[in-house]
Amino acid sequence: MQKENLISVGDFWDSLRYQDVHLRILNFENTNKKNLSNQKIHDLLMKTITFHDIFVFPESTVCYPKGRKFYRARKVFQADIHSAQDLVSGWTNKDFWEPPASSVSQIGRLNYKNESMLYLANTFPLCLLEGRAKENEFYVISQFINRNEINLTPIGLPYSVADMPPLSDHATIIGNQFVDFFRREFSRDVGKGTEWLYQSSNVIAKDFFDLPEPVSHGWIYPSMQDHNGLNICMRPHLGHEDFVLDVSILIQMISIEGNNVQFRTIGAKKKDSNVFILY
């Protein structure tokens, strides 16, 4: 991410004062963005991170070789086991993937209204934590495996120093200021009534961390529900090209405390099968 190729990342960060960056970030965070347009948020971000008409940030991707497992949880809105089983037994293969664009009625962390994205978590418990799973609720948990190598643009993750020259201590501190800023703004915990916060995360991803499709297949970012967890989001249509649906299970939640998940399995769908087996 670089507005002008005039200066190296290390030299740019070395040229900045910690207090100046801190005050810019503080001003952005204290600005009420509830009713701002995407363009206004974009302009505010540019004002925050641009110094002397320049902003430089290292571009990188996280690569996953084929064969890695990721997980998606879909809540089943039924009151009892038999109703949940009856509903899911009538699902077709598409029901285990992301919803159709026409069904996306609200903005999300990386999607606008009527924009469908495949969101996945890197662990089984995390997809339930992201779904705010509660006791006695029913969920279908699907395991996906990437059949191709995938490259993802990180947002809010520590930048890779592998392809960078050594940084001074001061440049490292400034760089971490920017990383932490993007992580906080992109990954804010959003609840009912604060969905407008997703507008900033969309602008950050699509205006500042949007590498071209041949280079990046989507995004990867830290979870706010488990600070050791990672979420990924695939670009529209690329999920089906790069992943296969391996297995799905229908569960009833018993309890969830951190990564300790207890549940009852009441159905399963095996790979390449259109039959949901009920238990």
Side-chain angles (χ1 to χ4, degrees):
M1 181 187 334
Q2 185 167 330
K3 185 178 179 182
E4 297 182 33
N5 190 20
L6 300 175
I7 187 172
S8 71
V9 172
D11 288 344
F12 176 66
W13 289 345
D14 265 326
S15 72
L16 305 181
R17 296 197 314 161
Y18 180 91
Q19 186 67 8
D20 292 339
V21 177
H22 175 72
L23 290 175
R24 295 273 193 97
I25 290 173
L26 197 62
N27 180 67
F28 182 92
E29 292 177 338
N30 289 337
T31 299
N32 185 349
K33 297 174 281 293
K34 183 175 182 179
N35 297 312
L36 295 185
S37 66
N38 287 357
Q39 186 61 52
K40 289 289 187 181
I41 293 174
H42 173 94
D43 294 343
L44 190 58
L45 280 164
M46 287 298 295
K47 184 177 180 180
T48 302
I49 63 180
T50 301
F51 292 81
H52 310 297
D53 295 324
I54 300 172
F55 174 65
V56 184
F57 197 79
E59 295 176 342
S60 63
T61 58
V62 175
C63 177
Y64 282 105
K66 65 179 182 179
R68 297 294 293 267
K69 297 175 181 177
F70 297 86
Y71 302 88
R72 178 178 187 266
R74 178 178 175 182
K75 187 175 180 179
V76 179
F77 293 92
Q78 296 295 320
D80 60 77
I81 289 177
H82 295 300
S83 297
Q85 289 176 321
D86 289 344
L87 177 65
V88 176
S89 63
W91 283 9
T92 61
N93 188 65
K94 63 180 177 60
D95 293 306
F96 297 89
W97 291 77
E98 73 277 16
S102 59
S103 298
V104 181
S105 59
Q106 291 186 330
I107 189 174
R109 197 170 302 279
L110 275 151
N111 67 276
Y112 293 116
K113 182 179 178 181
N114 297 324
E115 185 180 28
S116 183
M117 307 282 225
L118 179 63
Y119 290 90
L120 300 171
N122 71 332
T123 68
F124 183 105
L126 181 58
C127 72
L128 288 164
L129 288 170
E130 290 289 342
R132 277 51 166 199
K134 297 181 176 61
E135 294 179 12
N136 297 318
E137 292 180 336
F138 300 100
Y139 288 85
V140 169
I141 310 299
S142 297
Q143 177 177 280
F144 293 84
I145 299 178
N146 59 311
R147 55 185 166 191
N148 303 314
E149 179 181 278
I150 56 173
N151 294 298
L152 304 167
T153 304
I155 305 177
L157 298 179
Y159 52 85
S160 173
V161 298
D163 299 321
M164 294 175 59
L167 298 175
S168 69
D169 290 344
H170 178 76
T172 300
I173 291 171
I174 298 299
N176 287 333
Q177 275 186 288
F178 286 121
V179 170
D180 291 342
F181 167 65
F182 284 123
R183 175 185 52 78
R184 288 194 305 273
E185 288 303 315
F186 179 82
S187 301
R188 288 194 180 279
D189 198 10
V190 178
K192 188 174 182 180
T194 60
E195 292 86 356
W196 56 270
L197 289 169
Y198 284 143
Q199 196 166 350
S200 291
S201 64
N202 269 273
V203 172
I204 288 171
K206 295 168 183 176
D207 290 1
F208 296 89
F209 290 85
D210 194 16
L211 298 178
E213 189 171 301
V215 177
S216 175
H217 303 94
W219 297 267
I220 182 169
Y221 54 96
S223 167
M224 292 305 295
Q225 307 306 316
D226 176 4
H227 294 298
N228 293 317
L230 294 170
N231 294 313
I232 74 170
C233 177
M234 300 297 294
R235 294 178 181 276
H237 311 301
L238 287 185
H240 290 260
E241 293 182 16
D242 292 322
F243 282 90
V244 293
L245 175 60
D246 184 44
V247 64
S248 298
I249 59 173
L250 173 62
I251 67 170
Q252 182 180 28
M253 290 296 303
I254 296 175
S255 66
I256 180 168
E257 295 182 9
N259 286 322
N260 184 16
V261 178
Q262 297 185 36
F263 58 88
R264 175 186 178 187
T265 303
I266 56 177
K269 175 184 178 297
K270 296 181 179 180
K271 181 180 180 180
D272 299 326
S273 173
N274 292 322
V275 179
F276 208 94
I277 302 171
L278 303 180
Y279 299 155

